[in-house]
């Protein structure tokens, strides 16, 4: 590691990198292979400096003995949070056309319908669900619907709650949808999401690899778990699938990212083709 901005370099040895990645893997399910060394080292050095340490060892000893603030800071630094509004929009189509009508048909009248977006990163996905339903699902007026959004990265959850977005984040939205739900923020080039849409989503920090953490969400009818499992190894994927299965209502659905497949991870779910989309259903136990 070279010196930056005149500050002394903080070297990270191969053994230190390995020790850190094992600890980080146990905590988050995310496994950094050797090819990620440069990415991880740069962020590690920034975390060590920000926490006021001058070397890896002192920082790591505090971290591994359980220091929630240091752990939170390093998790926030290491996660990859890329997302945008109306990403993989065809799944929202499947939600309003197939999934919600089916789930509703099994629910007692008046019972709330709960949709969970995990991981939500900076909020584009759960807010997209809210906007999509406002735009495309007239039944919304008659249903008590709750959208919960979670991520392990607490800085992302704060950004999500603030509801201010870059042009890149809104690039895939139809112009009329963007105009309806966003206002330009001064001359910053940013867009501020309408308070009514922000009020549709409840954010809570949850780590999908920790069963106690996942249970805090309670039972949900639909889960969007997109573009998370790609960062996990097989063991963490299976753990996450087990935890999500547990909180999903019988007959409930889980939507994954387009490059992710539950069939390769867990036999618990039934793959269903709804129009162009493959989604995964928890058996309802009704034959
Ligand atoms: C690429 S974003 C996906 C966002 C959104 N679902 C999408 O598809 O656009 C991946 C997110 O997973 C979160 N994440 C990583 N490990 C996690 C874990 N163990 N539990 C919950 N969220 C996690 C990261 O913080 C990051 O915000």
């Amino acid at each position: 590691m070279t010196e930056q901005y005149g500050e002394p370099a903080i070297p990270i040895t191969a053994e230190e990198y390995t020790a850190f990645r094992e600890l980080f893997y146990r905590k988050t399910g995310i496994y950094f292979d050797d090819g990620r060394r440069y990415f991880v080292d740069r962020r590690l050095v920034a975390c060590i400096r920000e926490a006021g340490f001058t070397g890896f060892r002192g920082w790591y000893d505090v971290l591994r003995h359980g220091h929630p603030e240091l752990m939170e800071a390093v998790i926030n630094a290491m996660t990859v949070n890329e997302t945008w509004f109306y990403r993989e929009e065809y799944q929202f189509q499947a939600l309003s056309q197939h999934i919600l009508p089916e789930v509703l048909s099994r629910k007692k009248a008046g019972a709330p319908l709960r949709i969970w977006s995990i991981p939500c990163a900076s909020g584009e996905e759960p807010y997209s669900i809210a906007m999509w339903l406002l735009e495309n699902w007239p039944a919304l007026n008659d249903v008590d619907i709750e959208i919960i959004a979670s991520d392990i990265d607490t800085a992302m959850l704060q950004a999500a709650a603030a509801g201010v977005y870059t042009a890149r984040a809104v690039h895939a939205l139809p112009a009329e949808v963007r105009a309806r739900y966003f206002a330009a923020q001064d001359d910053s080039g940013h867009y501020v999401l309408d308070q009514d849409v922000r009020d549709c989503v409840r954010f809570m920090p949850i780590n999908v690899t920790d069963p106690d953490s996942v249970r805090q969400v309670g039972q949900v009818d639909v889960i969007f778990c997109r573009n998370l499992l790609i960062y996990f190894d097989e063991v963490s994927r299976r753990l996450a699938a087990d935890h999500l299965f547990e909180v999903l209502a019988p007959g409930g659905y889980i939507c994954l990212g387009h490059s992710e497949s539950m069939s390769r991870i867990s036999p618990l779910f039934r793959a269903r083709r709804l129009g162009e989309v493959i989604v995964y259903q928890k058996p309802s136990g009704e034959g």
Side-chain angles (χ1 to χ4, degrees), residues 28 79-83 87 119 125 151 206-208 226-227:
T28 66
T79 49
V80 176
N81 311 114
E82 195 191 21
T83 183
R87 182 180 194 177
E125 182 176 283
D151 202 283
I206 286 184
N207 176 356
V208 82
R226 309 190 306 172
N227 305 302

Side-chain angles (χ1 to χ4, degrees), residues 11-287:
I12 314 266
T13 66
E15 289 71 32
E16 288 168 344
Y17 177 77
T18 305
F20 169 73
R21 84 167 160 199
E22 289 306 320
L23 179 69
F24 192 76
Y25 169 70
R26 284 200 303 278
K27 185 74 191 168
T28 66
I30 300 171
Y31 186 74
F32 295 119
D33 59 25
D34 290 340
R36 303 286 282 165
R37 179 85 200 258
Y38 180 68
F39 167 94
V40 173
D41 275 10
R42 270 181 36 215
R43 283 163 176 76
L44 264 185
V45 168
C47 284
I48 293 167
R49 283 212 176 101
E50 264 162 41
F53 291 82
T54 51
F56 177 88
R57 267 291 143 204
W59 172 83
Y60 183 73
D61 282 343
V62 177
L63 181 77
R64 84 189 162 95
H65 286 110
H67 191 295
E69 288 84 19
L70 280 194
M71 186 53 87
E72 184 176 342
V74 76
I75 288 173
N76 292 357
M78 293 292 169
T79 49
V80 176
N81 311 114
E82 195 191 21
T83 183
W84 57 89
F85 286 96
Y86 276 28
R87 182 180 194 177
E88 300 179 41
E89 177 193 323
Y90 50 87
Q91 291 197 334
F92 304 134
Q93 187 95 42
L95 179 71
S96 54
Q97 284 188 348
H98 303 285
I99 296 177
L100 291 185
E102 188 192 312
V103 168
L104 260 186
S105 70
R106 267 197 311 269
K107 272 205 172 289
K108 284 202 199 92
L113 197 154
R114 306 185 78 226
I115 302 175
W116 187 27
S117 160
I118 177 162
C120 65
S122 35
E124 287 86 332
E125 182 176 283
Y127 288 142
S128 294
I129 295 170
M131 288 189 294
W132 179 273
L133 295 182
L134 285 164
E135 290 290 304
N136 300 289
W137 201 52
L140 190 59
N141 294 322
D142 310 316
V143 180
D144 178 6
I145 202 153
E146 195 184 348
I147 303 174
I148 310 120
S150 301
D151 202 283
I152 198 174
D153 184 332
T154 52
M156 281 297 115
L157 294 177
Q158 277 181 23
V164 180
Y165 292 97
T166 60
R168 187 177 144 58
V170 300
H171 78 276
L173 283 174
E176 70 280 6
V177 174
R178 196 183 75 194
R180 213 166 359 262
Y181 299 106
F182 291 85
Q185 188 196 46
D186 311 325
D187 347 310
S188 65
H190 289 107
Y191 294 84
V192 184
L193 180 60
D194 197 274
Q195 188 64 49
D196 287 345
V197 179
R198 278 150 65 188
D199 290 344
C200 293
V201 179
R202 182 158 69 89
F203 292 96
M204 55 195 294
I206 286 184
N207 176 356
V208 82
T209 60
D210 174 351
D212 292 332
S213 174
V214 172
R215 281 178 200 130
Q216 291 175 55
V217 77
Q219 194 174 71
V220 291
D221 299 293
V222 183
I223 300 174
F224 280 78
C225 182
R226 309 190 306 172
N227 305 302
L228 168 63
L229 302 177
I230 40 173
Y231 298 102
F232 285 177
D233 70 348
E234 248 174 69
V235 175
S236 331
R237 279 184 197 137
R238 181 61 206 248
L239 268 183
D242 288 351
H243 301 158
L244 297 178
F245 185 85
E246 190 185 318
V247 293
L248 194 57
Y253 282 92
I254 179 161
C255 303
L256 301 181
H258 74 275
S259 60
E260 299 163 325
S261 161
M262 190 56 93
S263 312
R264 288 200 293 267
I265 300 171
S266 166
L268 292 171
F269 299 85
R270 193 157 70 91
R272 296 274 313 269
R273 177 178 280 282
L274 303 178
E276 295 302 297
V277 183
I278 304 282
V279 295
Y280 301 89
Q281 187 175 29
K282 176 168 175 168
S284 64
E286 293 165 4

